[in-house]
Every structure is written in structure tokens, then in C-alpha cells.
Amino acid sequence: MTEYEHHDEMKQEQITCDFIIVGQGIAGSILAHFLLQQHKKILVIDQHNPNSASNIAAGVVNPITGRKMVKSWMIDEVMPFAKSTYKELETLLHTSFFYEEDIFKLFTSKEDVDIWNRKIEDDEYKDYLGEIVESIDNNITANYGIGIIKQCCWMDVPVFIKAYRNYLKEQQILREEIFDISDIIVTDKIQYKNISASKIIFCEGYKAFQNPYFNFIPFSLAKGEQFVVHIPNLHSNKIINKNIFIIPKKNNDYTVGSTFIWNDVTETVTDEGRKEIDDKLSKMVNCNYQRIEEKAGIRPTMKDRRPVLGQHPNHSNVYIFNGFGTKGVSLAPYFANHLTNHIEYNFNILEDVSINRFLKYLNNR
């Protein structure tokens, strides 16, 4: 037998596992982590895409959002769980990627200040809203002051994704290829090429809308664009927010973004996005800057702004874990554990995130 014939024979050896996970973004990586904690045998299938939503995610978790400054959905439950999970993963991966930081919110009007002062008296908000400061840098425009949002964090998502990918490789449980849905056979088992699995979980981001098992789910895809800019006269080490985020990197470089574009699902930066961020950034900083890097990706956003997870209604061994939009960093750990407990211990899935809320669309199809 020649070396090539031996290699081909090895490729055809049957592999058995408990779970196939399709996709290795934030969702797929965190779900893999919780299944491995349950001592499950998994195989992750993913082709690296530098423009995936996870690889361009800003990674900021802001517990207080919107003009009315309301708490993010389930933040009291999901935030402590996320922090604990990421600290465990940093230890496991011997890598730093998760940072607890305050966010400095630039007020846009006196009304913002009034809302803040009312909220800060509310016991429900006292752990999240801090003092108001006048300035943090001479080159930051803060005509109405700056509110400090506490209990925030920032995750360097590409660093995490790369580190976890290397971990999967070391464990020999990653297959680097584009998943071909036409090669799957679903019976009482899952057969995919030479892999036999008990269950398959799709964590494929926005491409789920093309998946024939889940194309009844009404995704509302949103392109996001972000840039790295060099601002030589800005010397801030704070995360700053005013419609967009300014996140400090090194050597006066900052990540800024991001946009929401609903009518374009290409992974390319647009002139519209450049103009939007330039306009917003110029209202935040009063000094020159240079754009040095730009990225675009598609967020798997849901119409009701809630993730979707659970079992396919007609195939008991086919699952989805998706739809996190801009909230993947905060929500993925809590709901990866939630789905794992559902599969392993038959825990009920929270109605707000269950796939069952979309079954009416399946029936209509």
C-alpha cells in the first residue's frame, strides 16, 4: 500500500461521537465547552472565516442600553454566569481575553442627565449606574457630561476564538472544512460523511437561514461594520459610548463601531458604513484620526431580539443554538449551559428562547 493509499484509507475510518457541533464562533465554542464538561465526545466542524460575526465582534457587554437607559434583558442572571465562565476558560486556555471595565457614556442632552439621575435612585439600577464626570480627556467632546456604567466587561473575541480553536485542535476534535448539508443523513443517528453521531447542533451564525432544517426561523440579519483607527492625540484607556463604541487597543489605536445595515448581507465594508462611523466618531473626538483597518460581518439577529435554541420539531436529534445578534458574549454561556441541561437532564427551555415560538412559521411553510 502506498503512502497516499494509506492516507485515503485513514480518511475513511469511521468516527463516532455524541455530538457534532457545526460552527466555532462564540456560540459553538461555548457550547462545546459545556458539553465537554459533561464528558461528552464531540466533534466541531468549522472552516475559519475572518469575517464571521464572532471574529469581528466588538465584544463589549453593556448592561444599560438605549436612550431610556434600561437594563438589558436578563442581565442580572446572565452577567455573573458569563464572568465566571470566561474566567474558567482563561485558566483552561492559558490566555487572557476577558476584562471587566466600566463604560463611559457620553450624554447627548440634558434629558439624558435627568434620566440618569432618576435611575440612579432606583434600587434596581444602583449597582449599574455610577457617578457623572465632566471629562476624561481633553479631546473627548462631552458637552453634557459622562455617566459611568458599572458591571460592564469587554472580551477580545478573536483572541478567544483562536485560543479555543487551538484547544480543539490539540484535543483532535476539530475538523476544518465547510459543512456540506447535502452530506448529512438523519435517522435515529446522524451520519455525516464518515462521522456517526447521536446528535448534531447547528451553531452556524447567519448561515442558518440557508439550512433546510431551520430555514423556517425568521432571522433578521444585520451587517455590522467596525474599524480600527489611529488617534495620535487621544490618550484614553476607557471604553467610551455614544451610539458607537470607542475601545482602546495599543499605541493610540482604537476599535470603533459598529453599524447596523439591514439590506445588505455581503461581508464587505460599505461607503455608507464608513460615513456613518465617521460622522458619529467626529462628534465624540475633536482631533484628527486615521482609519487603518476595516471589517464587516453579518450578525444572526432575531426579530424579537432573543436567541433561538432547542430541538427540531420533526428530528429529535437535530438542534439549533443561534440568534445571539450583538449579545453573544453575555448570553452564550448562560444559554449554552441551559441547552446542555435540557439535552442531558430534560430541563425545560425558557419560552423566550425556545425554537417552539417559531413553529407557526414551519406550519405555514
Side-chain angles (χ1 to χ4, degrees):
M1 181 182 295
T2 69
E3 178 182 349
Y4 296 105
E5 288 171 334
H6 177 70
H7 180 67
D8 286 341
E9 183 179 280
M10 291 291 289
K11 283 174 36 177
Q12 296 306 313
E13 288 183 0
Q14 286 295 303
I15 298 170
T16 60
C17 60
D18 298 313
F19 292 89
I20 296 172
I21 297 176
V22 181
Q24 195 249 320
I26 295 174
S29 297
I30 298 295
L31 184 61
H33 172 65
F34 279 99
L35 288 172
L36 288 172
Q37 284 191 324
Q38 293 290 324
H39 308 291
K40 297 303 175 182
K41 187 176 181 181
I42 70 169
L43 182 66
V44 179
I45 301 177
D46 180 80
Q47 179 67 52
H48 175 68
N49 175 11
N51 291 318
S52 70
S54 292
N55 277 312
I56 71 155
V60 176
V61 178
N62 181 5
I64 305 296
T65 60
R67 283 296 305 274
K68 295 185 178 180
M69 302 177 204
V70 296
K71 286 167 62 173
S72 291
W73 176 69
M74 286 191 66
I75 195 65
D76 293 334
E77 294 83 11
V78 302
M79 195 64 188
F81 196 90
K83 289 180 178 180
S84 173
T85 300
Y86 292 130
K87 288 173 183 176
E88 289 177 6
L89 281 163
E90 284 187 319
T91 300
L92 174 71
L93 302 174
H94 308 290
T95 306
S96 296
F97 55 80
F98 184 75
Y99 309 93
E100 296 188 51
E101 305 274 357
D102 293 336
I103 292 175
F104 288 73
K105 177 180 176 60
L106 306 185
F107 294 133
T108 61
S109 66
K110 187 178 181 303
E111 181 186 2
D112 285 352
V113 180
D114 292 340
I115 292 172
W116 186 280
N117 286 329
R118 288 197 300 272
K119 294 273 187 179
I120 205 168
E121 298 297 323
D122 187 336
D123 286 345
E124 190 176 351
Y125 285 82
K126 64 181 181 180
D127 291 334
Y128 295 101
L129 301 183
E131 62 180 325
I132 295 175
V133 298
E134 292 185 4
S135 176
I136 53 175
D137 186 281
N138 290 334
N139 287 309
I140 294 293
T141 303
N143 296 329
Y144 296 94
I146 304 168
I148 301 176
I149 303 176
K150 302 181 292 183
Q151 303 289 329
C152 309
C153 63
W154 172 69
M155 179 174 169
D156 194 331
V157 181
V159 168
F160 164 67
I161 295 297
K162 182 178 180 180
Y164 201 77
R165 193 175 193 85
N166 289 337
Y167 174 78
L168 294 173
K169 288 179 183 179
E170 291 168 4
Q171 303 299 312
Q172 298 184 333
I173 51 177
L174 174 69
R175 179 174 285 192
E176 296 187 276
E177 64 180 53
I178 296 173
F179 185 86
D180 187 347
I181 195 73
S182 65
D183 283 330
I184 188 174
I185 299 172
V186 178
T187 58
D188 58 332
K189 291 280 189 181
I190 304 294
Q191 188 69 38
Y192 178 73
K193 297 183 178 179
N194 64 323
I195 308 164
S196 178
S198 298
K199 298 176 178 66
I200 187 167
I201 307 176
F202 288 96
C203 311
E204 53 197 334
Y206 84 94
K207 293 184 179 178
F209 85 98
Q210 299 172 322
N211 185 321
Y213 291 96
F214 297 107
N215 59 6
F216 64 93
I217 296 174
F219 284 92
S220 182
L221 307 179
K223 174 187 278 193
E225 298 159 298
Q226 67 168 239
F227 307 110
V228 177
V229 297
H230 182 66
I231 314 179
N233 294 323
L234 184 62
H235 303 285
S236 170
N237 62 352
K238 314 294 187 185
I239 298 176
I240 305 168
N241 173 243
K242 183 184 176 183
N243 299 317
I244 60 170
F245 283 102
I246 302 176
I247 306 167
K249 294 170 70 71
K250 294 180 180 178
N251 304 318
N252 296 99
D253 290 346
Y254 299 84
T255 298
V256 298
S258 61
T259 63
F260 279 84
I261 297 177
W262 303 96
N263 57 356
D264 181 356
V265 291
T266 62
E267 296 175 345
T268 54
V269 174
T270 63
D271 289 338
E272 177 187 356
R274 293 187 187 98
K275 183 179 185 306
E276 178 182 339
I277 289 185
D278 281 342
D279 288 346
K280 291 178 178 178
L281 184 58
S282 64
K283 294 175 182 177
M284 298 172 72
V285 300
N286 54 23
C287 55
N288 293 328
Y289 59 88
Q290 177 186 2
R291 191 186 308 116
I292 59 177
E293 186 180 348
E294 50 186 37
K295 293 182 180 180
I298 312 301
R299 305 179 186 93
T301 306
M302 307 302 299
K303 288 184 181 296
D304 59 5
R305 302 296 186 268
R306 302 287 184 263
V308 55
L309 50 144
Q311 187 180 61
H312 189 280
N314 300 326
H315 302 284
S316 62
N317 49 3
V318 178
Y319 291 79
I320 189 168
F321 186 62
N322 207 323
F324 291 92
T326 61
K327 306 286 188 181
V329 172
S330 60
L331 297 181
Y334 184 92
F335 284 108
N337 183 62
H338 191 62
L339 180 60
T340 300
N341 285 334
H342 168 70
I343 294 171
E344 290 302 300
Y345 307 112
N346 203 31
F347 283 20
N348 290 332
I349 292 180
L350 185 68
E351 289 184 8
D352 283 358
V353 301
S354 173
I355 189 176
N356 291 341
R357 71 194 196 270
F358 298 125
L359 293 187
K360 60 185 178 182
Y361 296 105
L362 176 63
N363 295 333
N364 289 340
R365 289 177 64 87

